[in-house]
Amino acid sequence: MNISKPVVLTALLYLPFSGSVNGAVIIDANISWAGAARNQARNFASGVIFSTTDTTASDLSIRGGLPAVNADALEGVISWTDGAFSGTVHVALGISATGTPDAGVTFVANPIRRGGRGAFGLESNNGGNRGLLEPDEGSVTIDGITITQVSGDDFTFDGITGIYLGNGGVGTADEAGTVNGVAATNFVSGGNTDASGFNAVTGLPSSAEIDATAGEFSINGVQLQITGIPEPSSAVLLGLGALGLLGRRRR
């Protein structure tokens, strides 16, 4: 009888943790659009923050998911689910003008240009299409990403997994660019944020620098990855209680 007790104790110790392994969760964070409810031609200083907490007509709101049409879903939070784990979060993105413009080209005082239909780009003094990223204008960097728990399970922010790009509905489909130095090949017509404008980013970086090498295009959104961390379950507490009870019986 004394030999069997350690076996039972081992089973009780590990059983509560079975099923606690979980995978990664993808969050699509996209610039919100609601037609006339958003100012489609507003400029912001480099380093401006777009966030899900901006649920009013501040022109700085983020929505979650990939909608079939350009309609707002200003729920204020983005929901995520990973098996038995789930929660809601706020997402914030820092948008900066970076890189070195060509000779004679400079950033304007507020170079981050919020375009139409959920998109943004750069504005410079070159007289080009404002709100679109062009080869001579420098680059845009998305960094300072903050994902804040609102409810549900804990999580870790792993990094960026992709960027959504579009041509802004201007010109021919000759867009070309790079994301962290890797060629971007997918662009969607207009400012829609959908799968056809998705460009994967490898290595789960915490920031993404987007450059134009040909044509002109907008930046429509970013795809992020988190991994859920479950709270200690009642099963774990039950297992610890059982261990204590069996320990007393052995005495």
Side-chain angles (χ1 to χ4, degrees), residues 8-224:
V8 175
L9 286 171
T10 302
L12 286 170
L13 180 62
Y14 287 99
L15 181 60
F17 294 96
S18 64
S20 64
V21 177
N22 52 310
V25 180
I26 297 301
I27 293 176
D28 290 305
N30 304 305
I31 307 306
S32 183
W33 179 76
R38 296 288 181 274
N39 186 337
Q40 304 299 298
R42 186 175 175 186
N43 288 61
F44 301 96
S46 179
V48 63
I49 303 296
F50 285 75
S51 173
T52 53
T53 61
D54 286 283
T55 56
T56 63
S58 68
D59 306 321
L60 292 173
S61 56
I62 291 175
R63 64 165 179 241
L66 300 179
V69 295
N70 286 313
D72 268 334
L74 295 179
E75 66 274 35
V77 294
I78 295 178
S79 300
W80 64 274
T81 301
D82 176 22
F85 314 125
S86 62
T88 60
V89 295
H90 279 309
V91 176
L93 309 173
I95 313 297
S96 301
T98 52
T100 304
D102 287 355
V105 178
T106 60
F107 298 133
V108 298
N110 296 302
I112 303 302
R113 177 87 168 185
R114 191 200 190 289
R117 300 191 174 185
F120 65 89
L122 276 177
E123 183 175 355
S124 67
N125 66 344
N126 70 344
N129 285 297
R130 296 178 297 178
L132 299 177
L133 185 61
E134 300 177 65
D136 57 353
E137 286 188 319
S139 56
V140 168
T141 293
I142 301 174
D143 59 5
I145 299 170
T146 304
I147 304 180
T148 306
Q149 181 186 37
V150 177
S151 64
D153 291 305
D154 292 334
F155 59 89
T156 59
F157 169 49
D158 303 323
I160 299 171
T161 53
I163 300 292
Y164 293 93
L165 302 175
N167 64 15
V170 179
T172 59
D174 62 350
E175 295 80 17
T178 61
V179 179
N180 287 350
V182 178
T185 58
N186 296 322
F187 301 84
V188 61
S189 179
N192 301 337
T193 303
D194 61 38
S196 59
F198 178 77
N199 291 269
V201 176
T202 60
L204 295 174
S206 60
S207 64
E209 183 178 7
I210 302 107
D211 287 270
T213 54
E216 52 198 19
F217 57 86
S218 61
I219 302 165
N220 299 348
V222 57
Q223 187 184 82
L224 309 171

